[in-house]
Amino acid sequence: DSGVTQTPKHLITATGQRVTLRCSPRSGDLSVYWYQQSLDQGLQFLIQYYNGEERAKGNILERFSAQQFPDLHSELNLSSLELGDSALYFCASSVYDQTYNEQFFGPGTRLTVL
Amino acid sequence: DQQVKQNSPSLSVQEGRISILNCDYTNSMFDYFLWYKKYPAEGPTFLISISSIKDKNEDGRFTVFLNKSAKHLSLHIVPSQPGDSAVYFCAASGYSGAGSYQLTFGKGTKLSVIP
């Protein structure tokens, strides 16, 4: 158990809908990262928050947004969903924002868009 | 453009033998490299890492080698055990601007250790 929790574990929805994925980082970790893993793909970095502020953006679509709240939990919002958004979404956390920081991953949320 | 490449999608090894997983990168600005292991229905877990100032790092049965001139790293598992069967991701860390560091992952190699 990494100490990172993600809810829900599974989510099935229809095209055009909006969903929210939730992540609670390990106690004491200030950085939260979101990744997408599509079929046969590696982990694609989406976005990072550090202590409530957006720190870095990766391959995140404009239909997707995220935020980190004062208690450091984070939410990833996906809107106008398309079939291609079906994927595993992982959240990770780390103490700081440094190159030598190991990231701890949650178990993921499997999103299926029908 | 894939900056971190794991060219072998899968690898099968007999129990007790050596497993060698390879990873190539293109961005010379990467300065820290990590290997993560992932079991089905779980998130990736950190396995071992290496700084660009070193060429080898060992942790028990796991050793990572870094060849900076070739932009290549490898993970050696000796001896391989059935419990090592998992997907292994290579990741590289580099500065991404605004005081932030980002991990770039390869697509993973599925290791099967045959009893």
Side-chain angles (χ1 to χ4, degrees), chain B residues 5-26:
Chain B
K5 297 179 185 179
Q6 293 177 257
N7 291 319
S8 298
S10 62
L11 175 68
S12 287
V13 171
Q14 286 290 133
E15 181 179 3
R17 305 295 291 268
I18 184 171
S19 295
I20 300 176
L21 295 94
N22 294 303
C23 177
D24 298 293
Y25 63 95
T26 57

Side-chain angles (χ1 to χ4, degrees), chain B residues 33-92:
Chain B
F33 303 89
L34 308 91
W35 285 92
Y36 280 81
K37 177 167 129 175
K38 185 182 179 304
Y39 292 117
E42 294 183 11
T45 55
F46 171 74
L47 190 58
I48 192 170
S49 62
I50 187 167
S51 166
S52 60
I53 62 173
K54 293 186 174 183
D55 55 17
K56 178 181 172 181
N57 187 28
E58 274 184 270
D59 183 3
R61 296 185 297 114
F62 303 91
T63 302
V64 57
F65 295 92
L66 175 63
N67 182 333
K68 279 183 65 178
S69 60
K71 294 192 178 67
H72 177 84
L73 63 155
S74 60
L75 173 68
H76 292 211
I77 307 173
V78 184
S80 301
Q81 299 173 354
D84 296 329
S85 297
V87 176
Y88 290 78
F89 290 99
C90 170

Side-chain angles (χ1 to χ4, degrees), chain A residues 33 35 37 40-43 45 48 55-58 88 90 97-103 105-107, chain B residues 31-32 34 36 38 41-44 46 51 89 93-94 96-103 105-107:
Chain A
Y33 310 78
Y35 292 87
Q37 185 184 18
D40 294 333
Q41 295 293 314
L43 291 140
F45 169 69
Q48 178 205 357
R55 184 61 70 100
K57 263 186 174 179
L88 264 171
F90 289 103
D97 178 25
Q98 295 171 356
T99 191
Y100 303 111
N101 257 342
E102 171 191 338
Q103 293 180 19
F105 283 79
Chain B
D31 58 359
Y32 195 63
L34 308 91
Y36 280 81
K38 185 182 179 304
E42 294 183 11
F46 171 74
S51 166
F89 290 99
S93 177
S96 60
S100 174
Y101 292 86
Q102 200 176 110
L103 282 185
F105 283 83
K107 290 188 178 183

Side-chain angles (χ1 to χ4, degrees), chain A residues 23-81:
Chain A
C23 168
S24 292
R26 288 189 325 156
S27 176
D29 283 0
L30 299 177
S31 262
V32 170
Y33 310 78
W34 286 98
Y35 292 87
Q36 179 192 58
Q37 185 184 18
S38 303
L39 193 65
D40 294 333
Q41 295 293 314
L43 291 140
Q44 299 289 319
F45 169 69
L46 295 178
I47 196 164
Q48 178 205 357
Y49 278 80
Y50 179 77
N51 204 20
E53 294 189 2
E54 182 183 303
R55 184 61 70 100
K57 263 186 174 179
N59 300 319
I60 188 165
L61 299 171
E62 283 193 16
R63 301 183 285 109
F64 296 0
S65 65
Q67 53 184 327
Q68 186 179 28
F69 295 87
D71 66 352
L72 301 177
H73 91 270
S74 177
E75 292 181 355
L76 178 67
N77 300 296
L78 315 176
S79 61
S80 303
L81 285 168

